[in-house]
Coordinates of all heavy atoms in Angstrom, one line a residue:
I1 N -16.2 4.6 10.3 CA -15.3 4.3 11.3 C -14.1 3.6 10.8 O -12.9 3.9 11.2 CB -16.0 3.3 12.4 CG1 -17.1 4.1 13.1 CG2 -15.0 2.8 13.4 CD1 -16.6 5.2 14.0
D2 N -14.2 2.7 9.8 CA -13.1 2.0 9.2 C -12.1 3.0 8.5 O -10.9 2.9 8.6 CB -13.5 0.9 8.2 CG -14.2 -0.2 8.9 OD1 -14.0 -0.4 10.2 OD2 -15.0 -0.9 8.3
Q3 N -12.8 3.9 7.8 CA -12.0 4.9 7.0 C -11.2 5.8 8.0 O -10.0 6.1 7.8 CB -12.9 5.7 6.1 CG -13.4 4.9 5.0 CD -14.4 5.7 4.2 OE1 -14.8 6.9 4.5 NE2 -14.9 5.2 3.1
A4 N -11.9 6.3 9.0 CA -11.3 7.2 10.0 C -10.1 6.4 10.8 O -9.1 7.0 11.0 CB -12.3 7.7 11.0
A5 N -10.4 5.2 11.1 CA -9.3 4.4 11.8 C -8.1 4.2 10.9 O -7.0 4.3 11.4 CB -9.9 3.0 12.2
S6 N -8.3 4.0 9.6 CA -7.1 3.8 8.7 C -6.3 5.1 8.6 O -5.1 5.1 8.7 CB -7.7 3.5 7.3 OG -8.3 2.3 7.3
R7 N -7.0 6.3 8.6 CA -6.3 7.5 8.5 C -5.5 7.8 9.8 O -4.4 8.2 9.8 CB -7.3 8.7 8.3 CG -7.9 8.7 6.9 CD -8.6 10.0 6.6 NE -9.7 10.2 7.5 CZ -10.9 9.8 7.2 NH1 -11.2 9.2 6.1 NH2 -11.9 10.1 8.1
K8 N -6.1 7.4 10.9 CA -5.5 7.7 12.2 C -4.3 6.7 12.4 O -3.3 7.1 13.0 CB -6.6 7.4 13.3 CG -6.1 7.9 14.7 CD -5.6 9.3 14.8 CE -6.7 10.3 14.5 NZ -6.3 11.7 14.7
L9 N -4.4 5.5 11.9 CA -3.3 4.5 12.0 C -2.0 5.1 11.3 O -0.9 5.0 11.8 CB -3.7 3.2 11.4 CG -4.5 2.3 12.3 CD1 -5.0 1.1 11.5 CD2 -3.6 1.8 13.5
V10 N -2.3 5.7 10.1 CA -1.1 6.3 9.4 C -0.5 7.4 10.2 O 0.7 7.5 10.3 CB -1.6 6.8 8.0 CG1 -0.5 7.6 7.3 CG2 -2.1 5.7 7.1
E11 N -1.3 8.3 10.8 CA -0.8 9.4 11.6 C 0.0 8.9 12.9 O 1.0 9.4 13.2 CB -2.0 10.2 12.1 CG -2.7 11.0 11.0 CD -3.9 11.8 11.6 OE1 -4.0 12.0 12.8 OE2 -4.8 12.2 10.8
L12 N -0.6 7.9 13.5 CA 0.1 7.4 14.8 C 1.4 6.7 14.4 O 2.4 6.8 15.2 CB -0.9 6.4 15.5 CG -2.1 7.0 16.2 CD1 -3.0 6.0 16.7 CD2 -1.6 8.0 17.3
R13 N 1.5 5.9 13.4 CA 2.7 5.2 13.0 C 3.8 6.2 12.6 O 5.0 6.0 13.0 CB 2.5 4.2 11.9 CG 1.7 3.0 12.3 CD 1.2 2.2 11.2 NE 0.5 1.0 11.7 CZ -0.5 0.3 11.0 NH1 -0.9 0.8 9.8 NH2 -1.1 -0.7 11.5
K14 N 3.4 7.3 12.0 CA 4.3 8.3 11.6 C 4.8 9.1 12.9 O 6.0 9.4 13.0 CB 3.6 9.3 10.7 CG 4.5 10.4 10.2 CD 3.8 11.3 9.2 CE 4.7 12.5 8.7 NZ 4.0 13.4 7.8
Q15 N 3.9 9.3 13.8 CA 4.2 10.0 15.1 C 5.2 9.1 15.9 O 6.1 9.6 16.5 CB 3.0 10.3 15.8 CG 3.2 11.0 17.2 CD 1.9 11.2 17.9 OE1 0.8 11.0 17.4 NE2 2.0 11.5 19.2
K16 N 5.0 7.8 15.9 CA 5.8 6.9 16.7 C 7.2 6.9 16.2 O 8.2 6.8 17.0 CB 5.2 5.5 16.6 CG 6.0 4.4 17.4 CD 5.4 3.0 17.2 CE 6.2 2.0 18.0 NZ 5.7 0.6 17.8
R17 N 7.5 7.1 14.9 CA 8.8 7.0 14.4 C 9.7 8.2 14.9 O 10.9 8.1 15.0 CB 8.8 7.0 12.8 CG 8.3 5.7 12.2 CD 8.7 5.6 10.8 NE 7.9 6.6 10.0 CZ 6.7 6.3 9.4 NH1 6.2 5.1 9.6 NH2 6.1 7.2 8.7
T18 N 9.0 9.3 15.2 CA 9.8 10.5 15.7 C 9.7 10.7 17.2 O 10.3 11.6 17.7 CB 9.2 11.7 15.0 OG1 7.8 11.9 15.3 CG2 9.4 11.7 13.5
E19 N 8.9 9.8 17.9 CA 8.7 10.0 19.3 C 9.8 9.3 20.1 O 10.3 8.3 19.7 CB 7.4 9.4 19.7 CG 7.0 9.6 21.2 CD 6.9 11.1 21.5 OE1 6.0 11.8 21.0 OE2 7.7 11.5 22.3
T20 N 10.3 10.0 21.2 CA 11.4 9.4 22.0 C 11.0 9.1 23.4 O 11.6 8.3 24.1 CB 12.6 10.4 22.0 OG1 12.1 11.7 22.6 CG2 13.2 10.7 20.7
D21 N 9.8 9.7 23.8 CA 9.3 9.4 25.2 C 8.7 8.0 25.2 O 7.8 7.7 24.5 CB 8.3 10.5 25.5 CG 7.9 10.4 27.0 OD1 7.5 9.3 27.4 OD2 7.8 11.5 27.6
K22 N 9.3 7.2 26.1 CA 8.8 5.8 26.2 C 7.3 5.7 26.6 O 6.6 4.8 26.1 CB 9.7 5.0 27.2 CG 11.1 4.8 26.7 CD 11.9 3.9 27.7 CE 13.3 3.7 27.1 NZ 14.1 2.9 28.1
K23 N 7.0 6.5 27.5 CA 5.6 6.5 28.0 C 4.6 6.8 26.8 O 3.6 6.2 26.7 CB 5.4 7.5 29.1 CG 4.1 7.4 29.8 CD 4.0 8.3 31.0 CE 2.7 8.2 31.7 NZ 2.6 9.1 32.9
K24 N 5.0 7.8 26.0 CA 4.1 8.2 24.9 C 4.1 7.1 23.8 O 3.1 6.9 23.2 CB 4.6 9.5 24.3 CG 4.3 10.7 25.2 CD 4.6 12.0 24.6 CE 4.3 13.2 25.5 NZ 4.6 14.5 24.9
I25 N 5.3 6.5 23.6 CA 5.4 5.4 22.6 C 4.4 4.2 23.1 O 3.7 3.7 22.2 CB 6.8 4.9 22.5 CG1 7.7 6.0 21.8 CG2 6.9 3.6 21.7 CD1 9.1 5.7 21.8
S26 N 4.4 3.9 24.3 CA 3.6 2.9 24.9 C 2.1 3.2 24.6 O 1.3 2.4 24.3 CB 3.9 2.7 26.4 OG 3.0 1.7 26.9
Q27 N 1.8 4.5 24.8 CA 0.4 4.9 24.6 C 0.0 4.8 23.2 O -1.1 4.4 22.8 CB 0.2 6.4 25.1 CG -1.1 7.0 24.9 CD -2.2 6.3 25.8 OE1 -1.9 5.5 26.6 NE2 -3.5 6.7 25.5
I28 N 0.9 5.2 22.3 CA 0.7 5.1 20.8 C 0.4 3.6 20.4 O -0.5 3.3 19.7 CB 1.8 5.7 20.0 CG1 1.8 7.2 20.2 CG2 1.7 5.4 18.5 CD1 3.1 7.9 19.7
D29 N 1.3 2.7 21.0 CA 1.1 1.3 20.7 C -0.2 0.8 21.1 O -0.9 0.0 20.4 CB 2.3 0.5 21.4 CG 3.6 0.7 20.7 OD1 3.6 1.1 19.5 OD2 4.6 0.5 21.3
R30 N -0.7 1.2 22.3 CA -2.0 0.8 22.8 C -3.1 1.2 21.8 O -4.0 0.4 21.5 CB -2.2 1.3 24.2 CG -3.5 0.9 24.8 CD -3.7 1.5 26.2 NE -4.0 2.9 26.1 CZ -5.2 3.4 25.8 NH1 -6.2 2.7 25.7 NH2 -5.3 4.7 25.8
L31 N -3.0 2.5 21.4 CA -4.1 3.0 20.4 C -4.0 2.3 19.1 O -5.0 2.0 18.5 CB -3.9 4.5 20.3 CG -4.2 5.4 21.5 CD1 -3.8 6.8 21.2 CD2 -5.7 5.3 21.8
I32 N -2.8 2.0 18.6 CA -2.6 1.3 17.3 C -3.3 -0.1 17.4 O -4.0 -0.5 16.5 CB -1.2 1.1 16.9 CG1 -0.6 2.5 16.5 CG2 -1.0 0.1 15.8 CD1 0.9 2.5 16.3
R33 N -3.1 -0.8 18.5 CA -3.7 -2.1 18.7 C -5.2 -2.0 18.7 O -5.9 -2.9 18.1 CB -3.2 -2.8 20.0 CG -1.7 -3.3 19.9 CD -1.4 -4.2 21.1 NE -1.6 -3.5 22.4 CZ -0.6 -2.8 23.0 NH1 0.6 -2.7 22.4 NH2 -0.9 -2.3 24.2
M34 N -5.7 -1.0 19.4 CA -7.2 -0.8 19.4 C -7.8 -0.5 18.1 O -8.8 -1.0 17.7 CB -7.5 0.3 20.4 CG -7.3 -0.1 21.9 SD -7.7 1.3 23.0 CE -9.5 1.3 22.9
L35 N -7.0 0.3 17.3 CA -7.5 0.7 16.0 C -7.4 -0.4 15.0 O -8.2 -0.5 14.0 CB -6.7 1.9 15.4 CG -6.9 3.2 16.1 CD1 -5.9 4.3 15.7 CD2 -8.3 3.8 15.7
E36 N -6.5 -1.4 15.2 CA -6.4 -2.6 14.3 C -7.5 -3.6 14.7 O -7.7 -4.5 13.9 CB -5.0 -3.2 14.5 CG -3.9 -2.3 13.9 CD -2.5 -2.9 14.1 OE1 -2.4 -3.6 15.1 OE2 -1.6 -2.5 13.4
S37 N -8.1 -3.5 15.9 CA -9.1 -4.4 16.3 C -10.5 -4.0 15.8 O -10.9 -2.8 16.0 CB -9.1 -4.5 17.8 OG -10.3 -5.2 18.3
Q38 N -11.2 -4.9 15.1 CA -12.5 -4.5 14.6 C -13.5 -4.2 15.8 O -14.4 -3.4 15.6 CB -13.1 -5.7 13.8 CG -14.3 -5.4 13.0 CD -14.1 -4.4 11.9 OE1 -13.0 -4.2 11.4 NE2 -15.1 -3.6 11.6
F39 N -13.3 -4.7 17.0 CA -14.2 -4.5 18.1 C -13.8 -3.2 18.9 O -14.7 -2.7 19.6 CB -14.1 -5.7 19.0 CG -14.5 -7.0 18.4 CD1 -13.6 -7.9 18.0 CD2 -15.9 -7.2 18.1 CE1 -14.0 -9.1 17.4 CE2 -16.3 -8.4 17.5 CZ -15.3 -9.4 17.2

């Protein structure tokens, strides 16, 4: 799970840099916070 979460964080942060839709950016931020949380 930790390894998969690390790979997914890299993908999401890269996606966020090119995303312009505010709603999608908010969704990405929510997932990043969840992936950074051990729980």
Side-chain angles (χ1 to χ4, degrees):
I1 292 295
D2 291 340
Q3 291 174 355
S6 298
R7 290 193 296 271
K8 188 56 65 177
L9 278 169
V10 172
E11 292 177 16
L12 289 174
R13 285 165 180 155
K14 184 177 179 180
Q15 181 184 346
K16 181 182 177 181
R17 287 195 292 271
T18 57
E19 185 60 67
T20 57
D21 188 312
K22 290 183 179 180
K23 189 175 181 180
K24 289 184 178 179
I25 291 173
S26 176
Q27 177 68 7
I28 292 171
D29 286 338
R30 183 182 69 83
L31 289 171
I32 289 174
R33 287 194 300 272
M34 291 179 70
L35 289 168
E36 290 173 339
S37 167
Q38 192 64 28
F39 298 104

